[in-house]
Amino acid sequence: MNQQIIAAIDIGTNSIHMVIVEIEPSLPSFTVIAKEKDTVRLGDRDPTTGKLTPEAIQRSLDTLRRCRDLANSLEASQIIAVATSATREAPNGEAFLRQIESELGIVVNLISGQEEARRIYLGVLSGMDFNDQPHIIIDIGGGSTELVLADIHEPRFLSSTKIGAVRLAKEFVTTDPISDSELKVLRAYVKGMLERPVDEIWRNLQLNEVPRTIGTSGTIETIAAIHAKDELGYVPDPLNGYEVSRKDIEKIVKKLAKMSFKERLDVSGLSEKRAEIIIPGAVILLEAMTMLKLESIVICERALREGMIVDWMLTRGLINSRLRYQNEVKKRNVLKIAQKYHVDLDYGERVAYFALSIFDQLKDKLHSWDVAERELLWSAAILHNCGIYISHSSHHKHSYYLIRNAELLGFTELELELIASIARYHRKSKPKKKHEPYNSLPDKHYQLMVRQLSAILRLAVALERRNKGAIAEVNCQYDKHNHSLDFQIEPVEIGDKCKLELWNLSYKKELFEEEFDVELIAAIAESKLPVKT
């Protein structure tokens, strides 16, 4: 692969950020060639309905249009975009994303708080040398705060808590300057919300380990800039690697809390928009560091956007596993969820093997799906029976619910929906318009994907009907003149008639035949006995 230019856009609660990078696959590395940022305040939602307001949506569309035009002018081959907490929580969030796609042609993936935390970790890992030391990463956004405990190999703990600078300013700050009582309530609330993630971090730290603390995001960079101006008389550029002690952060919080909004505007390094929300943001940082007993924090200017780039490179095999970079994050998390819901993994892996075998043999003959869809099929095949954890009755519906609500890192919200739907339709009813989740998929392309991949999964499930690995292989021969598919089954034991599997195939093949417009003819392959000499 030659050098490529990629743009990554993060639609946050407070701001929209874009980074444009040039990727050098031979190293592999990337260089930031342009940045864009605008404060759009998507988090200023309608207090009655919780919806994103028309004004915030318009501000966002205007900013995204500028981002797209800049990316195009720099000849970016691809724009990758994600939306986080404000869009995730708003009732009209998905409609907003559809509007972005229809008006600007930018496809935005909605990601969970945990997935956001994982990508922040990847971004920091790309810009910081972790050595053999554990790191605590603190990222304070407009709507949520991500706390991560990680080392060079993997994140040990990822969390996203619904406390952010915009959210708390809106909910807790009504006085100017902030009153002592409001500040006290704010600090107590933050402390309560951080209790669980902080406890988890302590639990995952080993005895005598001393973690290094990394801070990312506008709030922390602003505090560092205020500190640098006071201490050095100037703000270093870049701020990457700049260190601030907890004692100094405490002094800054006290100083800012005594100031009115107008007075804060005179503080060097504090913009008007940031001045409105700096106190809640600074309180989150101070409380997190106090609870974790962290003496200082180091600034990293790489975060979610850069993590999106790293993730993009990982999925295309551009990053060597020398840093591990979590390159098997999806597979590992699918297996983790399977374990959680007591899935019979031997059975699940056999079904997945047959599903992928059929998928590969029929590629470019009966379907044109590719690597990404193959990964979704594998994930659905491993997890299709997880609903038995709740009840065997209607377990396909329970599987949908468990997958849809699982913390499957590495996948977007849409990918989770697709995996859950493919698993849901491995038995019983075929996808129907009256099924709300299926009907709500954003495009007919995705509905086709669910129908066709679930049809393949049904055949794979039928091949493992006795749950004992009775079948070794399946060979598919497509006859395009007769629109037929010869399904040759090779049993493990010579003489096994595989009656139950053949009966189940005759029952399960209907959806497959309908979807791919073929007649499926299943038979036991003739055994190849050794020739006597």
Side-chain angles (χ1 to χ4, degrees), residues 135-151:
H135 283 59
I136 292 171
I137 302 165
I138 304 173
D139 184 287
I140 301 162
S144 63
T145 291
E146 280 64 49
L147 289 183
V148 177
L149 173 65
D151 52 40

Side-chain angles (χ1 to χ4, degrees), residues 299-311:
I299 307 304
C300 178
E301 291 183 302
R302 286 193 168 186
L304 178 57
R305 275 84 59 201
E306 292 77 13
M308 290 162 64
I309 299 290
V310 172
D311 197 58

Side-chain angles (χ1 to χ4, degrees), residues 334-344 383 385-390 398-399 401-403 405-407:
V334 167
L335 296 175
K336 190 170 88 177
I337 295 300
Q339 201 171 28
K340 180 179 178 180
Y341 294 117
H342 302 177
V343 166
D344 179 344
L383 296 174
N385 257 357
C386 67
I388 292 171
Y389 182 78
I390 294 175
H398 301 316
S399 292
Y401 175 81
L402 291 179
I403 296 167
N405 293 284
E407 286 179 351

Side-chain angles (χ1 to χ4, degrees), residues 134 190 215 217 264 276 294 321 327 366 386 457 473 483 498 518:
V190 168
S217 80
R264 290 199 299 275
E276 292 173 359
L294 305 169
S321 61
N327 55 353
L366 289 181
C386 67
L457 181 55
E473 293 289 348
H483 291 287
C498 300
V518 291

Side-chain angles (χ1 to χ4, degrees), residues 127-128 215 221 236-243 298-302:
M128 284 272 174
E221 287 180 16
D237 185 17
L239 260 176
N240 216 51
Y242 187 81
E243 192 166 3
V298 177
I299 307 304
C300 178
E301 291 183 302
R302 286 193 168 186

Side-chain angles (χ1 to χ4, degrees), residues 400 417 421 424-425 434-442 447:
Y400 171 86
E417 182 64 55
S421 295
R424 184 245 189 272
Y425 293 112
K434 69 175 184 180
H435 296 161
E436 179 56 33
Y438 170 76
N439 206 34
S440 297
L441 286 167
Q447 292 183 349

